[in-house]
Amino acid sequence: MLATDPDADTFYVVLYGPNKGQSNLSRFDLPAWNALYDKAKMLSNSPERDQLYREMDKALFSPTRRLRPIAHRIVTGLTQPWVIGYRRNQVMREFWKYLDIDESALPSRRARAGAAAAAPAR
C-alpha cells in the first residue's frame, strides 16, 4: 500500500477487525487493538492519537502475534475487452459490483458456443 495521505489511518484501516473480508484481507481481529483504533478515529492529529498508534503498533508487532506484514510489489489483473469499469482499488476488494458488460464487444453467440464445445469437460 502506498501512502497518498500522511495520516496513519491509511495503514491501520486494513487491520481493523470489523473490516474483515473487505479491506482487512488478513482477517486480523484483536478486540483490544480494535478498541484503540476506535479511540484513535475519534481524535484529530495530536500527540494523544500518536500515542494510541504506538500502542496499536506494540499490540500488532508483539512476539506473541503471528501476523507478519509483507509487501507485494506486482499486482496482476486480467479482464476481457468487453468488461467495463475494471479498476483495482488498493483498499476495497469488492470492486466486482461496479463492473458491467459491453454486449456489443462480446464475441458472437456462435463463437462462444464453439469455444464451449471445444473446452475440456470439468
Side-chain angles (χ1 to χ4, degrees), residues 23-54:
S23 61
N24 180 355
L25 293 181
S26 68
R27 300 193 178 277
F28 177 78
D29 191 3
L30 182 64
W33 192 93
N34 295 336
L36 291 169
Y37 180 82
D38 288 334
K39 286 181 190 176
K41 284 293 289 180
M42 303 307 285
L43 299 173
S44 61
N45 192 7
S46 65
E48 184 182 359
R49 186 174 70 161
D50 291 344
Q51 180 57 39
L52 288 172
Y53 285 155
R54 282 191 284 281

Side-chain angles (χ1 to χ4, degrees), residues 1-14 70-75 89-91 93:
M1 174 179 286
L2 300 174
T4 57
D5 184 340
D7 192 358
D9 182 71
T10 304
F11 297 97
Y12 291 117
V13 71
V14 299
I70 59 173
H72 293 280
R73 302 199 186 280
I74 299 173
V75 174
N89 186 298
Q90 296 295 319
V91 176
R93 304 298 183 209

Side-chain angles (χ1 to χ4, degrees), residues 97-111:
K97 60 186 173 184
Y98 300 108
L99 300 181
D100 202 355
I101 301 293
D102 178 0
E103 293 185 19
S104 68
L106 283 170
S108 70
R109 186 171 269 167
R110 176 177 280 163

Side-chain angles (χ1 to χ4, degrees), residues 2-3 5 16 18 67 77 83 86 88 90-91 93 112 117 122:
L2 300 174
D5 184 340
Y16 186 51
L67 185 66
V83 175
Y86 178 80
R88 292 186 76 98
Q90 296 295 319
V91 176
R93 304 298 183 209
R112 286 183 292 186
R122 294 180 191 199

